[in-house]
Amino acid sequence: MSAASQRTRVLTGITTTGTPHLGNYVGAIKPAIAASQDPSVQSYYFLADLHALIKCQDPRRVQESRLEIAATWLALGLDTDNAIFYRQSDIPEIPELTWMLSCVCAKGLMNRAHAYKAAVAENEAAGNQDPDKGITMGLFGYPVLMAADILMFNAHQVPVGRDQIQHIEMARDIGGRFNHLYKGEFFTLPEAVVDDDVAVLGGLDGRKMSKSYNNTIPLFVSEKKLLKLVRKIKTNSLEPGEPKDPEGCTLFQIYSAFATREEREAMRSEYANGIGWGEVKNRLFEHLDAQLREPRERYQALMEDPGHIESVLLKGAERARAEAAPFMDKLRQAAGLGRFI
């Protein structure tokens, strides 16, 4: 066994339906990029563009999002020499594996998927006679596609939020079922990795920063737009001079996610001394702008050079397929689909 194959395999997918924002950076991108630079880990990062089609049928938006997200990860320092960075749609073995896994996956397992159950509950609450109204097979079966993403590269660990643990458990069930039916240890059964220390940032309105709430601060907006958005962050009515509680304050939370320990403690003291909200917002803007200025410039240069991004992704796909293609040959053989000679 090679040294590379002995490394811990960690896989992360990024759905290409939106523009990356500060919450994405703190919660997923920053820790993932740090992991990509760890030589003891074989990291797989992919643009989950097939998944994107489940929610978005706007071709322009999907295309723009793929470019924006790829440029964001590269601008922020993803190590593509160590990590394998690819587009899901560039790996034809993944949809092929999805079909093979669908043929061993119990429908009842998919009936219990959170997203499907939520869509059915929404139809029932609306009084629709058909509980499956508007639900596509993409939505119903996407945990199988996610299982194929993970099992194709025999990932040991998949970093996820708590709401995604079920999908990793499903991947284990499906992979285990395939192993049992075809009498072999074809798939490593993955483990979900949940980091409770990863910050979940509040958005402009105080709720979790999310595209769904339209309350995000995109990572690489212009300085002028960044200042405008920071000034829109909701605060309470305490006046300058009145002590303020940093706990639960969106401004302090965002500042803390980008500040050193010493800077956080200094700002905490300012809160106790009654700093005004306008001053906090100015300081937050200056801090964010200083940290994001260089990656913003790299991002803009990458967005103006899609050919470079394309070459990086094609190189990543070549590395991914070097593993996926021979593995699929092995799986076809196991299932009776191998060549005759």
Side-chain angles (χ1 to χ4, degrees), residues 240 329 337:
D329 282 341
L337 302 177

Side-chain angles (χ1 to χ4, degrees), residues 54 99 102 107 110 134-144:
I54 297 167
W99 178 251
S102 294
K107 177 178 178 291
M110 295 298 97
I135 298 175
T136 65
M137 283 303 297
L139 175 66
F140 181 72
Y142 90 91
V144 185

Side-chain angles (χ1 to χ4, degrees), residues 48-113:
D49 50 358
L50 296 178
H51 283 284
L53 301 181
I54 297 167
K55 293 183 179 179
C56 184
Q57 282 80 47
D58 180 346
R60 176 182 289 184
R61 186 66 200 115
V62 171
Q63 185 79 332
E64 287 175 349
S65 180
R66 295 196 309 165
L67 187 63
E68 290 171 350
I69 291 172
T72 295
W73 283 69
L74 295 175
L76 290 168
L78 183 71
D79 185 348
T80 55
D81 290 328
N82 184 36
I84 298 177
F85 185 48
Y86 58 96
R87 269 181 306 233
Q88 184 186 36
S89 59
D90 283 335
I91 317 298
E93 292 81 6
I94 289 174
E96 181 180 357
L97 179 58
T98 299
W99 178 251
M100 293 179 72
L101 297 179
S102 294
C103 293
V104 304
C105 175
K107 177 178 178 291
L109 186 64
M110 295 298 97
N111 289 342
R112 297 191 290 275

Side-chain angles (χ1 to χ4, degrees), residues 122-188:
E122 192 174 314
N123 277 330
E124 290 173 343
N128 291 318
Q129 290 187 335
D130 179 5
D132 287 327
K133 181 180 179 181
I135 298 175
T136 65
M137 283 303 297
L139 175 66
F140 181 72
Y142 90 91
V144 185
L145 175 57
M146 188 168 173
D149 292 324
I150 297 165
L151 297 173
M152 174 61 75
F153 299 104
N154 281 304
H156 300 106
Q157 299 176 357
V158 185
V160 291
R162 291 201 171 276
D163 61 332
Q164 293 286 314
I165 291 176
Q166 184 195 45
H167 293 131
I168 311 307
E169 292 172 345
M170 287 178 165
R172 290 176 60 87
D173 287 345
I174 297 167
R177 178 67 174 158
F178 189 99
N179 287 348
H180 174 73
L181 283 173
Y182 293 109
K183 298 176 174 57
E185 295 302 315
F186 301 101
F187 297 120
T188 299

Side-chain angles (χ1 to χ4, degrees), residues 293-308:
R293 188 175 298 122
E294 285 188 18
R296 183 196 298 137
E297 290 172 359
R298 290 195 293 270
Y299 173 82
Q300 294 297 344
L302 285 162
M303 289 295 287
E304 292 170 9
D305 187 8
H308 174 71

